[in-house]
Amino acid sequence: MANGVYTVALHNYLQGRNEKHLLSWKESHEGPAHALLWTATCKVGGQVRGVGTANQLRTAKEQAAEAACQALGIPV
């Protein structure tokens, strides 16, 4: 998965539709400090469109953005 490609595509898609204000993220983590597991949830218009889980927050957000792009039919 390329670095940030899906996150950028999601932002560009929503900005092009004047709907960027509908995008929100929820981030949480669990586990010991040396081995955190991050979960990022992507919401568009209050609806969950993607969830990602990874050892790095950036990767979890990118996974969630990828799922959101697929759910919204955004070509990447």
Side-chain angles (χ1 to χ4, degrees), residues 2 6 13 16 22-24 27 29 37 39 42-43 50 52 61 64 72 74 76:
Y6 292 101
Y13 173 81
L22 298 176
L23 178 64
S24 64
E27 301 155 358
H29 59 80
L37 186 62
T39 298
C42 176
K43 292 184 178 183
K61 281 185 81 170
L72 295 169
I74 300 171
V76 177

Side-chain angles (χ1 to χ4, degrees), residues 29-66:
H29 59 80
E30 59 183 50
H34 67 279
L36 289 177
L37 186 62
W38 288 92
T39 298
T41 302
C42 176
K43 292 184 178 183
V44 177
Q47 290 188 313
V48 174
R49 295 298 186 162
V51 177
T53 302
N55 294 331
Q56 294 182 340
L57 176 57
R58 174 180 12 170
T59 304
K61 281 185 81 170
E62 183 68 0
Q63 289 175 359
E66 179 180 6

